[in-house]
Amino acid sequence: MRTAYSVETVRHAEAQLMARLPEGALMQRAAAGLAAACAGLLGRVYGARVVLLVGSGDNGGDALYAGARLARRGAGVVAVPLARDRVHEGGLAALLAAGGRVADDPFEVLASADLVLDGITGIGGRGGLRQDAVPVARAARGSDAVIVAVDLPSGVEADTGQVRGEVLRADATVTFGTYKPGLLIDPAKEYAGTVRLVGIGLEEHLPSVPALEALQHADVARMLPVPAAESDKYRRGVVGVVAGSARYPGAAVLCVAGALRGGAGAVRYVGPAADAVIARFPECLVHAGPPGKAGRVQAWAVGPGLGDDAGVVEEVLASDVPVLIDADGLRLLDAAAVRDRAAPTLLTPHAGEAAALLGVGREEVEASRLDSVRELAARFGATVLLKGSTTLVAAPDAESSPVRVNPMGSSWLATAGSGDVLSGLAGSLLAAGLGARDAGSAAAYLHGLAARHAAAHGTPITALEVAEALPAAWRDVSAA
Ligand SMILES: NC(=O)C1=CN([C@@H]2O[C@H](COP(=O)(O)OP(=O)(O)OC[C@H]3O[C@@H](n4cnc5c(N)ncnc54)[C@H](O)[C@@H]3O)[C@@H](O)[C@H]2O)[C@@H](O)CC1
Ligand SMILES: Nc1ncnc2c1ncn2[C@@H]1O[C@H](COP(=O)(O)OP(=O)(O)O)[C@@H](O)[C@H]1O
Ligand SMILES: [K+]
């Protein structure tokens, strides 16, 4: 599990750690890790041309001390202080003592740099880059240099992943002590490049519940259901799929395709697209009547391609088993019925659907994914999986359940019907006994990994191919 902590928590942990260390020791640890990472990127340090963009805080201090280390190894290091009267003094003295210098003309040195260290702002930055930093940042980006962000790309919001103005896009980010949410969530994540975490001893001072967590193979492997020796299809769980309509029969087929690969012992399809489902998947049980008459299930997935049948959504919500609501189901649901449920509910909106549920514009959700998913989970008293370039899963008990961010995506997933596969898959995991947060985040992970398999040759993929690649994803994860 990778974890991210808020700025407030990081500062608190830093204060505790600093109280036990000699003055400046923490910054030296950060600078040492940063210099080592830069050396790795440069290959050959001796003779390399390194430019430091130095803001007025400790982020600039890190850059200066790292620059001093590179200068001692023979790099030509030049500092560009953004506010001449407010530069980390110790850092500047160290750089000058190591043979570095301050630039006369920032644009001239940037034009021929091999590597630029962005130490303009870290966790102390607010809003996008200030106007005076913008021309220098643009010149850096316009050069051929590798850009390495110190702790965070300057200009992003560390706690939320929002971008409120100009940001200096990095090729790599070296972050200290812990990931920050902004390094894992779009749009900020897009500016970070490859992220490397450098330990500075902060770990033991961080609380057990982070702000954000990202699953890895082994975490997902622990969640995946494996049938016991005496298991049967009912004990493994039956998932009911309520999807598709005369107009959208394909959504039913895709949702069932995901559900069949999600670990439930049986998939029961309920709705008007039974013929299309059976033609493709003879192993699926089908029922044309209402969900309540379809037979027992351990979880429902309702909504993809449903059209306007609000009655079935109401009926499923009235059941006492876990329910996943997607697509049309999100439009048709009664919010009070969701809030009143005793069994878990998992909502899986994309940004447009989330915006409609919140009564805001789609852009607002895309710009502030973390706040949006938290707000939805709180409002509906449900677990919410917000889909898109960064998929987030938030549970209603925010204090004890950090938001999960899915690290395993592929932009090839932006193809019609792939969301239907995801909801079937997550519904199947719910039926197999996973909690809503685990079912949603494990499903997003497998779905993203399956998409990477399907798109391995760099070609466009279809939603059905994503479903067909789920066993390969499951295998990868289980092998971990
Ligand atoms: N506190 C610690 O113990 C450690 C801190 N470290 C470094 O210190 C950083 C935090 O340092 P600070 O708290 O001094 O804050 P920063 O250096 O991140 O930024 C604050 C400074 O940037 C200016 N600023 C704010 N918003 C700006 C904007 N939009 N455009 C341009 N300038 C802006 C402010 O006037 C302020 O002087 C971390 O990100 C990390 O790099 C590391 O050395 C590890 C140890
Ligand atoms: N740019 C992107 N990068 C990664 N994944 C994406 C991107 N855009 C969409 N996705 C994923 O693709 C799926 C699309 O689902 P959805 O929007 O419901 O489409 P549909 O309704 O056509 O099935 C979701 O799993 C979503 O997270
Ligand atoms: K920075």
Side-chain angles (χ1 to χ4, degrees), residues 11 14 18 26-27 30 55-60 62 86 120-130 132-133 150-152 176 200:
R11 290 217 189 268
E14 275 177 353
M18 269 195 283
L26 210 48
M27 194 173 266
S56 46
D58 285 351
N59 196 245
D62 292 340
R86 284 177 64 208
I120 304 175
T121 59
I123 58 175
R126 294 284 170 275
L129 287 173
R130 286 188 194 143
D132 53 339
V150 180
D151 210 16
L152 289 157
F176 308 122
I200 54 172

Side-chain angles (χ1 to χ4, degrees), residues 53-61 81-89 119-121 130:
L53 304 183
V54 182
S56 46
D58 285 351
N59 196 245
L82 289 158
R84 291 241 173 190
D85 52 333
R86 284 177 64 208
V87 181
H88 193 283
E89 282 179 24
I120 304 175
T121 59
R130 286 188 194 143

